[in-house]
Amino acid sequence: MLYEIIFYHSGKTAELQNIISSGLSPLSLDLRGACAAADAKELSDSLAAAGKRRKLIFVAGGAAEGANSPAEIIKKVLKPKKGSLNEEKLILDKAEGIIMTVGEQTIILLPDDTETVNSLIPAIQKKLSEIYHIKNDSIDPPDMDIVIKELDEQMAGTNRVKVTPSGSTAEKTKAASLKKIKVTIAILLILAAVQLGAASYLFITHL
């Protein structure tokens, strides 16, 4: 799902855009357009244009009161043909924002303050998840019992190879074979010496 941001008398556009886009990424919501409005007419025109393209719009900034306040301008633009405009405050500690809905369209009004907007992100995530039935990946950590069980099953199915320590049976077998060869050579040398001695004795006795 795509959304847009309209900055109204905002001096922290880059910071607010980054906080909002990062905060909505777990909901798989993508920013597709941002603009700045310098006065009430520009805000009204921007809202009307964005409302034709997107179901979700953020308005950040604007502390004016009365007819030129962002909330009043939004109410003028969002004149529902059917039903009514619902307005709800998002409050977390001292942070406050406003969420307005008309049918499937939602406009969220946020102040021009990075700390306030950042603290409101969890409440915005929760509200948008409810409105648009979106799964929030950031609040669905994996079940550790399931993870441990899967690891145990994987370990049980692994063919374990026995590692032979140093001084292995193969090394001992090789040493024993070498010893037998040495003994055999020694016996052959002794037999050869005996045969040589016997031959010498026969030669001398026949002289």
Side-chain angles (χ1 to χ4, degrees):
M1 182 175 171
L2 305 177
Y3 67 93
E4 295 188 20
I5 302 175
I6 301 173
F7 297 102
Y8 182 54
H9 292 169
S10 173
K12 301 177 180 179
T13 56
E15 296 93 332
L16 291 173
Q17 179 175 318
N18 183 58
I19 292 171
I20 294 171
S21 60
S22 298
L24 297 185
S25 60
L27 300 178
S28 297
L29 297 175
D30 297 319
L31 177 62
R32 190 59 58 85
C35 65
D39 53 39
K41 185 178 185 308
E42 285 187 4
L43 176 58
S44 179
D45 292 342
S46 297
L47 278 169
K52 295 177 181 179
R53 297 187 296 264
R54 314 294 176 209
K55 292 181 180 180
L56 177 60
I57 304 168
F58 286 84
V59 177
E65 299 293 336
N68 288 331
S69 68
E72 291 302 317
I73 295 172
I74 292 170
K75 290 177 183 178
K76 290 178 182 178
V77 175
L78 291 180
K79 293 180 180 179
K81 295 180 180 179
K82 294 181 180 181
S84 59
L85 185 150
N86 297 316
E87 181 178 344
E88 179 183 350
K89 286 188 177 182
L90 295 173
I91 301 175
L92 185 63
D93 295 331
K94 296 181 180 180
E96 183 175 323
I98 300 174
I99 181 168
M100 300 179 179
T101 56
V102 177
E104 293 186 349
Q105 191 163 62
T106 303
I107 296 181
I108 298 178
L109 177 59
L110 299 171
D112 189 33
D113 183 81
T114 55
E115 291 185 6
T116 300
V117 173
N118 191 53
S119 62
L120 286 173
I121 288 297
I124 294 172
Q125 289 178 338
K126 184 175 183 297
K127 197 64 184 179
L128 293 178
S129 296
E130 295 171 354
I131 294 173
Y132 296 111
H133 306 289
I134 303 171
K135 181 180 178 181
N136 188 344
D137 295 333
S138 67
I139 60 175
D140 289 326
D143 190 321
M144 292 308 298
D145 291 336
I146 295 176
V147 172
I148 293 172
K149 183 179 179 181
E150 290 178 350
L151 287 173
D152 288 341
E153 290 175 353
Q154 291 176 7
M155 290 296 292
T158 302
N159 293 323
R160 298 186 179 181
V161 179
K162 186 177 180 180
V163 179
T164 306
S166 178
S168 65
T169 302
E171 292 174 346
K172 292 178 181 178
T173 302
K174 186 183 293 184
S177 298
L178 184 60
K179 184 177 181 181
K180 288 180 180 179
I181 292 172
K182 289 180 178 179
V183 171
T184 302
I185 293 172
I187 293 172
L188 291 174
L189 289 174
I190 292 171
L191 290 174
V194 170
Q195 290 178 353
L196 180 60
S200 299
Y201 174 76
L202 291 173
F203 177 79
I204 293 171
T205 57
H206 283 81
L207 287 177

